[in-house]
Amino acid sequence: MPGRTVLISGASVAGPALAYWLEAAGWQATIVERAAELRSEGQNIDIRGAAREVVRRMGLEDTIRAAGTGEEGTRIVDAGGRTRASFPATRSDTAGATAELEILRGELSRIVVAQTSAEYLFGTTITAVHEDEDGVAVSFTDGPDRRFDVVVLAEGMRSRTRTQVFGTEARIRHLGMYTSYFTIPKKPGDPDWWQWYNAVGGRNLGLRPDNLGTMRATLSFLSPPRGYEDLGQDEQKQLLHRVFRDAGWEAPRMLAAMDDAELYFENLGQVFAPTWHRGRIALLGDAAYCASPLSGMGTSLALVGAYVLGGELSRATSHREAFANYERLMRPYVDKAQKLIPGGPRLANPKSRLGIKVLQTTMGVAARIGSLSLLTPPADKFELPTYS
Ligand SMILES: Cc1cc2nc3c(=O)[nH]c(=O)nc-3n(C[C@H](O)[C@H](O)[C@H](O)COP(=O)(O)OP(=O)(O)OC[C@H]3O[C@@H](n4cnc5c(N)ncnc54)[C@H](O)[C@@H]3O)c2cc1C
């Protein structure tokens, strides 16, 4: 289908990456993004396995490495900050908690967007889609209605347009954990390591270095779904103060700095959709198959998915054929990536003091024998098709 028009909703990683591949094949891309500007929040994300080959084919591997976080590895620490287990960054494409190509999500998004010449409409969302024989008519919150040959939703895990088009078919499986990300000032003595600390009650605190002279903080806690993700940011901060005030380690510093920071707060989950396309509309990235940050695979799936969808749309004779091929090629890869370590968040966040001791000892042993398989899912095998 050479030289067609595509509307992509969502300007994070998956959406702009798809625009890149379609533009290379002569398509015109328009991207709508709900946020008023490109979002910069988020922490370190990994580019693994086949996704690494994708960024190589985009000519971006060196740019991404140069913008890497410089994280030297992962340390499990105790309340006194003493290291209980240590996993240095790996040069492997596929294994380990800290990948060799590790970059802030916002930085990756910025780099990919800069490679595209798409039309970006910020502060805009789709309000209605109407499909006919020749294309899709789309209405927006802002501006006139427009027509496109195909529409791709790359709106992340809680995509609202997905619900509009696919109804409740796509299911979000909650993983029983809330997590929040924010950026805090770096202080002298902060190591260039990801420090991970478990506190009783199924809580964990993380501090990671970045390449921008600040530290990336994470506060996570086990909880059944309670709708906290829908609270306002001030209420979410109050909640985090209540949950973490007695957590120990760097909790006081992190909570104090959080009050001045932009917070990204989410109910961890995975998306399972029985189909990724309906007529001329397709799902991509987290909107289709969110694997959750626990998998370490979300961004890799988004990059590989964008490559395959872009390639199939460029070479197929119809959108039907392209979407069917995209789903057939990607399903097995996604299924593997979505398989989390049995026990998932509960295993990594024990509730009792004894549980934390057992976890620290197990991690210590794993570190000594150099076993990193505990920390990554087996999702490294995907044969990238070649598209002209
Ligand atoms: C702000 C932010 C921070 C993140 N931080 C982390 C992190 O620290 N660690 C991690 O592992 N993963 C993080 N993620 C998720 C990670 O980016 C994805 O798992 C992965 O990169 C796949 O990206 P995606 O483009 O499919 O979806 P996402 O990265 O989720 O992007 C979806 C985009 O769509 C936009 N959007 C949502 N709804 C609409 C709508 N109705 N209309 C138009 N636009 C819409 C969103 O604003 C966002 O820009 C974060 C995502 C975001 C948005």
Side-chain angles (χ1 to χ4, degrees):
M1 296 176 69
R4 299 293 183 89
T5 56
V6 59
L7 172 69
I8 299 167
S9 186
S12 173
V13 175
L18 175 67
Y20 171 87
W21 291 111
L22 285 176
E23 283 171 6
W27 286 54
Q28 276 176 15
T30 299
I31 303 190
V32 286
E33 164 59 48
R34 185 178 57 184
E37 56 188 25
L38 202 61
R39 299 179 70 170
S40 61
E41 314 104 283
Q43 300 218 345
N44 313 38
I45 47 87
D46 307 329
I47 299 174
R48 297 179 186 275
R52 186 154 173 174
E53 178 57 25
V54 169
V55 297
R56 222 171 259 148
R57 292 185 191 180
M58 293 171 91
L60 288 179
E61 193 183 17
D62 291 342
T63 311
I64 290 171
R65 186 177 292 105
T69 57
E71 186 172 282
E72 289 180 13
T74 307
R75 278 178 188 157
I76 314 290
V77 299
D78 64 17
R82 284 174 295 266
T83 301
R84 294 290 170 180
S86 176
F87 300 90
T90 169
R91 292 200 69 77
S92 156
D93 255 6
T94 54
T98 301
E100 198 214 342
L101 273 197
E102 177 144 321
I103 179 170
L104 295 175
R105 188 210 63 88
E107 288 280 280
L108 177 64
S109 176
R110 183 183 56 73
I111 288 170
V112 177
V113 166
Q115 293 298 109
T116 63
S117 46
E119 172 192 21
Y120 284 87
L121 304 173
F122 287 98
T124 306
T125 59
I126 295 172
T127 53
V129 286
H130 178 74
E131 189 177 332
D132 56 37
E133 278 284 288
D134 309 319
V136 193
V138 185
S139 309
F140 302 96
T141 44
D142 210 15
D145 291 2
R146 293 175 55 178
R147 287 184 66 81
F148 300 89
D149 291 308
V150 294
V151 174
V152 177
L153 307 178
E155 297 177 355
M157 181 168 81
R158 292 182 200 285
S159 166
R160 287 201 195 141
T161 320
R162 178 187 64 209
T163 312
Q164 232 171 292
V165 176
F166 292 76
T168 51
E169 263 178 33
R171 182 172 63 85
I172 297 181
R173 176 181 157 231
H174 293 293
L175 297 172
M177 171 159 254
Y178 284 94
T179 193
S180 56
Y181 309 120
F182 50 99
T183 304
I184 70 171
K186 195 178 174 94
K187 70 170 201 210
D190 276 337
D192 282 336
W193 285 71
W194 177 7
Q195 297 178 88
W196 168 292
Y197 165 68
N198 285 98
V200 287
R203 299 170 291 179
N204 80 63
L205 297 79
L207 271 180
R208 308 181 76 163
D210 66 24
N211 56 320
L212 305 175
T214 43
M215 296 294 283
R216 302 284 158 153
T218 318
L219 297 174
S220 309
F221 59 101
L222 294 178
S223 164
R226 295 202 197 282
Y228 296 145
E229 66 278 20
D230 297 325
L231 295 173
Q233 205 168 105
D234 288 344
E235 288 163 293
Q236 289 170 344
K237 286 181 178 176
Q238 283 165 22
L239 172 73
L240 291 169
H241 271 284
R242 283 199 301 279
V243 174
F244 285 93
R245 76 162 58 108
D246 64 345
W249 189 55
E250 296 267 19
R253 169 189 174 197
M254 291 164 79
L255 290 171
M258 175 185 74
D259 289 336
D260 300 322
E262 186 65 28
L263 189 69
Y264 179 73
F265 188 99
E266 70 168 317
N267 183 357
L268 287 190
Q270 296 187 307
V271 172
F272 296 92
T275 175
W276 298 340
H277 54 94
R278 171 151 299 161
R280 291 175 176 271
I281 303 171
L283 300 172
L284 175 66
D286 274 10
Y289 33 77
C290 176
S292 94
L294 298 180
S295 73
M297 286 294 297
T299 302
S300 295
L301 290 181
L303 288 167
V304 174
Y307 173 83
V308 172
L309 181 55
E312 293 299 332
L313 277 169
S314 315
R315 82 169 165 194
T317 51
S318 71
H319 62 275
R320 273 177 226 91
E321 181 191 338
F323 289 166
N325 285 344
Y326 157 61
E327 186 156 343
R328 179 179 53 76
L329 289 167
M330 286 293 293
R331 274 280 175 196
Y333 184 49
V334 165
D335 288 348
K336 271 191 260 171
Q338 287 191 317
K339 282 201 177 63
L340 299 178
I341 302 161
R346 294 198 162 271
L347 193 74
N349 297 280
K351 292 206 162 171
S352 67
R353 241 171 253 293
L354 178 65
I356 292 174
K357 268 217 143 34
V358 171
L359 178 74
Q360 287 173 347
T361 308
T362 311
M363 294 307 248
V365 172
R368 276 195 293 282
I369 62 176
S371 168
L372 300 159
S373 58
L374 269 174
L375 299 171
T376 41
D380 50 339
K381 298 280 183 290
F382 182 77
E383 199 64 44
L384 276 186
T386 300
Y387 301 108
S388 58

